[in-house]
Amino acid sequence: MTIAGVINFMGAFGKEINIGGSISQFFIAQAVTMVIIRSFSGKIFDKYGHRVLIIPAAIAGAIGLILLGFSTNIVMVWIAGVLFGIAFAINQPIIQAWALTLVPPEKKTTATSMILIFIDFGLAIGSIGLGLLAKVVGYGMTFSISSLLMIILLVIYLIGNKKTAVFAKE
């Protein structure tokens, strides 16, 4: 959901904070960070598991969205882009890889399909829901409030991880 808000409202946010088209540099910072992080995050996942990646990624994403929401200049936007890039580079591929380790081989296609369906659902809901929120509170505050979605992701992850650990012990 958070990426939907970022993608859809970044241009208007640039106007809102008077930096115009320079706001697109957020995506450059995000993309460069994603390329760097993805180059080694898979190896970390293979060696240490998902926990050492997902928890800091969710926290970085939340901080990045809060910082973006309060940005008043391009440097703050760059830093927010780096932090959000960390989250975006880790969360989707690592959660997908982790999910695939939890299902038998004959269910991997179904698991992948479900993940992609939920990603699409999140993009749709995020676009509509955050758009309605932006009308009320403005774009910056919408980004900051959407950081709660990263915290919710973290809480769901921690609860789900605890449940899968219980099943693994049985």
Side-chain angles (χ1 to χ4, degrees):
M1 286 192 224
T2 58
I3 194 65
V6 169
I7 290 169
N8 288 315
F9 310 126
M10 193 59 80
F13 180 60
K15 290 178 186 171
E16 186 176 271
I17 63 170
N18 298 315
I19 62 172
S22 296
I23 195 76
S24 64
Q25 292 178 27
F26 172 91
F27 295 111
I28 295 169
Q30 179 188 3
V32 168
T33 301
M34 288 176 64
V35 168
I36 293 167
I37 295 294
R38 284 193 177 169
S39 71
F40 62 84
S41 62
K43 292 174 185 146
I44 293 172
F45 172 77
D46 292 340
K47 189 169 184 176
Y48 301 105
H50 46 84
R51 176 164 258 176
V52 299
L53 292 165
I54 293 176
I55 294 170
I59 293 168
I63 293 169
L65 286 166
I66 292 167
L67 182 61
L68 180 62
F70 288 99
S71 291
T72 56
N73 60 59
I74 198 64
V75 174
M76 292 174 75
V77 170
W78 291 337
I79 296 168
V82 167
L83 291 169
F84 192 69
I86 291 168
F88 200 64
I90 290 173
N91 284 334
Q92 188 271 330
I94 298 301
I95 289 172
Q96 183 173 353
W98 175 45
L100 293 177
T101 66
L102 298 173
V103 298
E106 66 273 8
K107 299 286 185 182
K108 290 192 186 302
T109 305
T110 303
T112 299
S113 174
M114 291 298 295
I115 289 168
L116 295 175
I117 287 168
F118 278 103
I119 289 171
D120 287 345
F121 181 71
L123 289 169
I125 296 299
S127 295
I128 295 166
L130 295 176
L132 293 171
L133 181 62
K135 271 176 101 173
V136 176
V137 299
Y139 297 108
M141 191 54 65
T142 297
F143 294 136
S144 293
I145 292 170
S146 71
S147 70
L148 294 174
L149 296 169
M150 297 300 288
I151 301 303
I152 291 169
L153 166 74
L154 181 58
V155 169
I156 291 170
Y157 166 75
L158 291 171
I159 291 168
N161 186 41
K162 195 173 277 190
K163 287 182 180 179
T164 56
V166 168
F167 291 126
K169 290 178 185 177
E170 293 177 353

